[in-house]
Amino acid sequence: AQSVTQLGSHVSVSEGALVLLRCNYSSSVPPYLFWYVQYPNQGLQLLLKYTSAATLVKGINGFEAEFKKSETSFHLTKPSAHMSDAAEYFCAVSDHNTGTASKLTFGTGTRLQVTL
Amino acid sequence: EAQVTQNPRYLITVTGKKLTVTCSQNMNHEYMSWYRQDPGLGLRQIYYSMNVEVTDKGDVPEGYKVSRKEKRNFPLILESPSPNQTSLYFCASSSTMNTEAFFGQGTRLTVV
């Protein structure tokens, strides 16, 4: 069974500082990995995804993530935080070899706070 | 515009009163699913459907029913809601060839 662990349910950074949100996964087969963002009172929006192509994935709003198989990690980073980045972020994994390729298993989420 | 539409956005109901949350997508996606979001637990899959008339249980199916009579619609049915089903519910759809999931805006359900 696949699983996702997000370390830190709350992360606070200053505006302009580096954003680092951690995600580790467990999967018996090569995974597809995703980061979603949820703004208040909204649904989830895809930030970026890894589907076994380049290990460094660039997404929207200046975010990127690096797939590291040896560390089973897919951490999300952004060089300089903006106030508008304040939201909840979810890491998710899907097992594309089981026939239920679109079943996503989510982490518990990390709430990002950006301060002045 | 490609979208997943859920209704209602907010619902307060009483224990035992049957309710349906509708979900519709306009992207001709084969795969649709329902998730519930609870604080500290992330999103957990309730049911999914790989195509018309094909549905299966997710991780937390107890107390829920679904149907998939048309490709675009995937309603979630709570036949006898209980307070532990108070949650934020999301419908999602995706093509089986592209695992990116598109989410609706969510339905906040309160069962009293």
Side-chain angles (χ1 to χ4, degrees), chain A:
Chain A
Q2 53 201 2
S3 65
V4 175
T5 301
Q6 290 185 242
L7 289 175
S9 58
H10 290 83
V11 170
S12 182
V13 301
S14 301
E15 190 174 37
L18 172 71
V19 176
L20 171 60
L21 304 182
R22 298 179 186 276
C23 172
N24 289 88
Y25 70 91
S26 171
S27 178
S28 58
V29 296
Y32 286 176
L33 292 158
F34 306 82
W35 276 100
Y36 282 87
V37 60
Q38 184 182 29
Y39 298 104
N41 298 316
Q42 293 190 26
L44 278 74
Q45 178 183 1
L46 182 70
L47 271 179
L48 50 80
K49 63 181 178 181
Y50 167 77
T51 56
S52 75
T55 57
L56 181 62
V57 181
K58 294 187 184 299
I60 62 171
N61 301 338
F63 285 93
E64 63 181 37
E66 185 173 9
F67 172 69
K68 292 188 177 179
K69 184 178 178 180
S70 61
E71 298 178 7
T72 60
S73 68
F74 191 57
H75 302 330
L76 182 71
T77 61
K78 182 174 180 178
S80 176
H82 293 164
M83 295 297 289
S84 59
D85 294 327
E88 188 152 22
Y89 293 79
F90 292 94
C91 183
V93 62
S94 77
D95 184 353
H96 59 94
N97 285 337
T98 64
T100 56
S102 294
K103 179 185 188 298
L104 292 170
T105 299
F106 285 88
T108 53
T110 298
R111 186 168 297 278
L112 176 65
Q113 181 182 20
V114 182
T115 59
L116 287 172

Side-chain angles (χ1 to χ4, degrees), chain B residues 17-31:
Chain B
K17 185 177 181 181
K18 181 180 178 179
L19 67 91
T20 299
V21 183
T22 64
C23 174
S24 180
Q25 51 94 3
N26 63 1
M27 294 167 279
N28 201 37
H29 285 163
E30 294 87 1
Y31 192 95

Side-chain angles (χ1 to χ4, degrees), chain B residues 9-11 13-14 25 31-32 45 60 76 90 105:
Chain B
R9 291 289 311 277
Y10 302 91
L11 179 59
T13 190
V14 296
Q25 51 94 3
Y31 192 95
M32 298 185 74
Q45 192 182 56
V60 288
L76 179 69
F90 287 102
Q105 294 286 81

